[in-house]
Amino acid sequence: MFDDLRDLYQDVILDRARHPRHGGRLAAFDATAEADNPMCGDRVRVWIARDDAGRLGGVGYEGCGCAISLASADLMAEAVIGKDAAAAREAAARFESLARGGTLTSDDPAFGPLGVFAGVAEFPSRVKCATLPWGALVAALGGGA
Amino acid sequence: MNVDTRPAAADLSGLRADFPILSQKIRGLPLVFLDSAASAQKPRVVIEAMREAMETQYANVHRGLHWMSERTTDAYESVRDAVAALINAASREEIVFTRNSTEAINLVAHSFGRGILRPGQAVVISEMEHHSNIVPWQMLRDAHGIELRVCPVSDAGELDLAALGELLADRRVGLVSVTHMSNVLGTYVPARRVARLAHEHGARVLFDGSQAIVHRRIDVQAIEADFYAFTGHKLYGPTGIGVLWARRELLEAMPPFLGGGDMIGTVRFERSTWAAIPHKFEAGTPAILEAIGLGAAIRYVETVGYAAIAAHEAALTDHALAIVSAVPGLRILGAAQDRGGVVSFTMENAHAHDVATLLDRQGIAVRAGHHCAEPLMARFGVESTARASFALYTTRAEVDALAAGLHRVREFFA
Ligand SMILES: Cc1ncc(COP(=O)(O)O)c(C=O)c1O
């Protein structure tokens, strides 16, 4: 009955939602921002800390949301740690395109583990769940830096 | 709850055939539609009434001296009579058509709030209001110096009447505006007691009847209300039509809300005069077809009968509360003694969205989110819930499907 739902709720997603690796706020951080989805009340706050080279040395998040948005936050943190701001923004744009079912495909090596979110494109009401933490990240990155 | 004192559950299963949309399949599965509290499906008589008006009897109202306009005006105005009879208003002039409940409440916030209440007075709402009965009062507070007070609800989801008495004690409250039935908890508020409490302290009372009027007969005089608001689309009627009822003397004292055609006596550039009530509050071409649809919906509900509807839904709700709460890890919000056909719940290890998506895959439509009641979510320490809600066409089999579906959802996330 739920066979097609496995496309949405891949094991990685269920696992990350239940056992986050990067959850929690950073004790020392350079910027933080929140994104919310007024339709459902979901909220994610992201903290970022830069290393000496200006790259993202640490990314943490806290939020209340569905399995999709929490897993997305966790995998996002993993994907952008070590990137500079420009590369992180680019990753955010690529992710948005993936989640909305754009032209990029999930086996594009650029996505790595984020490819598991390709399935959300089939669930229009859930796309916003997957992109929510990325919105917070981009806001935390701000205009400059 | 004592089931023995209730009328026997009415068998309304034959009525499903009156709702064309319900025979559809979703992903090959029969549609289990448990989201009627957001908006109800429409019986064929409503669809037909609107179609027939457009095909045989349509023109603008109150304007033409020709046959079509007169017939359409009669059809439109006869719905005012039907609404007045439905809620036992003292007169048809006390019925104002609006777009929906939200507009009805905004009308009161604007016209009564700015025209009658004075800065320094207060308005009391409750913790279990829909945003449409919160935000207009915040706007009034900020624009007009009105204090906004919030009456708490108990853990069972009932209005705290002792606290309400305290909020009223200084006699500065001009209006108590509360829901008659919570769209999240299902709680019915003891309307007459609330009204008496308000009146004893010199306050008027508004009930948001958006949910309440769907499940039970409302008698605005018996509950001693001053204002009553509801929305057509939840009462099996079309969108775009709602009702504000208010006591004649209030409507007469209140300044108009919107200005324009239809609401005037005479217009001069120096000064215009207002039409008599209710037209004073109905500026512009009204929702003619939607009103006609609402009239058909009211006739339909009256034909089925509130006694049968209430008995049917009470039996469904009792059944749902029993079998849904038996799903491990499931928590139902609210446990009011007096409640209508709405069941909100959270599930351990699964967010409401995930629950809704998995139910949807089984052809079961529920709502998930904050239900336009964020402060109530905060009160119960949750961000969102899933909600199943029942209508006169809901069947026991649908409720059983919900419970079976929830067991599968739980296994999926276990
Ligand atoms: C209790 C309550 N009040 C007000 C409303 C608003 O109704 P509408 O959007 O039709 O104005 C709703 C429905 O969403 C409701 O459930």
Side-chain angles (χ1 to χ4, degrees):
Chain A
M1 167 152 268
F2 292 135
D3 287 354
D4 51 346
L5 277 180
R6 292 284 168 199
D7 292 344
L8 178 64
Y9 294 102
Q10 304 222 5
D11 288 344
V12 181
I13 292 180
L14 291 176
D15 176 52
R16 288 296 176 125
R18 239 173 267 152
H19 309 291
R21 319 277 200 271
H22 301 273
R25 60 180 70 202
L26 299 183
F29 58 91
D30 294 304
T32 176
E34 187 173 272
D36 69 345
N37 181 352
M39 298 299 292
C40 59
D42 282 2
R43 238 182 294 277
V44 175
R45 176 169 287 281
V46 167
W47 287 266
I48 58 175
R50 296 199 174 82
D51 63 17
D52 295 341
R55 287 185 296 258
L56 292 171
V59 177
Y61 68 90
E62 252 175 31
C64 48
C66 59
I68 307 296
S69 62
L70 295 180
S72 176
D74 208 62
L75 288 164
M76 171 188 81
E78 196 159 292
V80 298
I81 285 174
K83 284 191 179 3
D84 63 18
R89 280 198 205 93
E90 201 188 307
R94 261 204 318 270
F95 185 83
E96 175 105 17
S97 165
L98 173 79
R100 293 194 188 282
T103 48
L104 295 166
T105 59
S106 59
D107 46 16
D108 185 323
F111 287 115
L114 294 177
V116 297
F117 287 100
V120 297
E122 302 289 314
F123 298 80
S125 59
R126 307 303 301 276
V127 169
K128 182 86 213 248
C129 308
T131 57
L132 189 68
W134 288 90
L137 174 72
V138 169
L141 289 169
Chain B
M1 238 174 255
N2 186 352
V3 179
D4 296 332
T5 59
R6 289 209 171 129
D11 178 16
L12 301 187
S13 51
L15 298 180
R16 262 183 105 73
D18 296 341
F19 293 79
I21 206 170
L22 295 178
S23 57
Q24 273 190 79
K25 296 208 160 177
I26 304 293
R27 299 191 186 91
L29 301 165
L31 169 64
V32 175
F33 187 76
L34 300 177
D35 193 22
S36 295
S39 200
Q41 301 299 350
K42 319 304 173 199
R44 190 173 280 107
V45 288
V46 168
I47 301 164
E48 284 299 311
M50 294 175 75
R51 192 185 56 80
E52 195 182 310
M54 281 184 279
E55 287 185 356
T56 66
Q57 193 195 72
Y58 178 77
N60 210 331
V61 292
H62 307 138
R63 303 189 181 188
L65 291 174
H66 52 81
W67 188 90
M68 271 294 178
S69 177
E70 284 169 358
R71 293 287 83 73
T72 310
T73 304
D74 288 349
Y76 175 76
E77 287 298 330
S78 74
V79 180
R80 210 183 297 280
D81 295 310
V83 173
L86 178 76
I87 62 174
N88 191 32
S91 75
R92 66 189 312 281
E93 288 81 21
E94 295 181 338
I95 305 299
V96 177
F97 288 122
T98 62
R99 250 181 340 127
N100 46 33
S101 293
T102 303
E103 189 177 275
I105 296 169
N106 274 276
L107 191 164
V108 178
H110 193 95
S111 295
F112 180 79
R114 297 185 188 208
I116 309 283
L117 295 181
R118 291 175 312 283
Q121 282 193 286
V123 170
V124 175
I125 59 174
S126 87
E127 275 182 325
M128 58 178 164
E129 299 311 317
H130 188 279
H131 293 165
S132 63
N133 194 30
I134 300 175
V135 181
W137 306 113
Q138 292 175 323
M139 292 165 71
L140 176 68
R141 174 192 66 195
D142 297 342
H144 193 59
I146 295 291
E147 187 194 337
L148 187 55
R149 299 180 180 177
V150 181
C151 183
V153 301
S154 68
D155 289 342
E158 290 172 330
L159 197 63
D160 184 340
L161 293 178
L164 179 61
E166 285 165 28
L167 290 172
L168 289 163
D170 65 3
R171 302 189 71 87
R172 280 179 46 225
V173 175
L175 180 72
V176 174
S177 184
V178 291
T179 190
H180 192 185
M181 176 189 149
S182 164
N183 62 314
V184 175
L185 307 171
T187 309
Y188 266 94
V189 160
R192 193 164 57 170
R193 285 179 65 193
V194 170
R196 288 195 174 167
L197 204 53
H199 293 155
E200 281 162 20
H201 293 84
R204 298 289 186 168
V205 62
L206 180 156
F207 292 109
D208 171 2
S210 307
Q211 299 291 340
I213 199 167
V214 180
H215 310 290
R216 288 187 193 171
R217 178 169 293 287
I218 302 302
D219 182 331
V220 291
Q221 298 192 68
I223 60 176
E224 301 177 13
D226 296 304
F227 300 96
Y228 202 91
F230 68 92
T231 195
H233 66 96
K234 297 188 200 273
L235 191 61
Y236 311 103
T239 51
I241 184 82
V243 170
L244 172 70
W245 166 83
R247 292 184 184 276
R248 171 187 290 276
E249 65 271 21
L250 287 167
L251 288 179
E252 283 175 345
M254 284 157 53
F257 175 36
L258 303 175
D262 254 10
M263 54 73 73
I264 40 85
T266 58
V267 175
R268 303 277 179 275
F269 282 120
E270 311 75 64
R271 199 174 76 83
S272 296
T273 60
W274 313 138
I277 65 163
H279 302 290
K280 180 169 83 174
F281 294 103
E282 292 180 9
T285 298
I288 301 166
L289 294 164
E290 290 76 6
I292 289 169
L294 176 62
I298 290 171
R299 278 196 301 281
Y300 182 79
V301 167
E302 294 278 28
T303 304
V304 177
Y306 270 108
I309 294 172
H312 173 69
E313 293 177 354
L316 283 180
T317 307
D318 285 349
H319 182 53
L321 289 172
I323 65 174
V324 168
S325 63
V327 178
L330 205 123
R331 171 189 170 207
I332 292 178
L333 260 73
Q337 284 293 315
D338 191 13
R339 67 184 297 160
V342 162
V343 178
S344 282
F345 52 88
T346 58
M347 188 186 267
E348 211 172 69
N349 299 330
H351 185 277
H353 280 176
D354 299 320
V355 173
T357 293
L358 267 74
L359 288 174
D360 179 54
R361 280 290 132 157
Q362 305 173 64
I364 303 169
V366 299
R367 181 152 176 207
H370 54 52
H371 313 291
C372 298
E374 283 190 73
L376 182 66
M377 298 289 113
R379 160 68 182 80
F380 279 89
V382 297
E383 275 81 35
S384 57
T385 73
R387 178 187 74 185
S389 53
F390 312 132
L392 61 83
Y393 45 71
T394 308
T395 64
R396 195 178 161 95
E398 285 181 299
V399 175
D400 290 337
L402 171 67
L406 287 170
H407 281 285
R408 286 188 210 109
V409 173
R410 196 186 77 84
E411 283 156 25
F412 187 88
F413 285 110

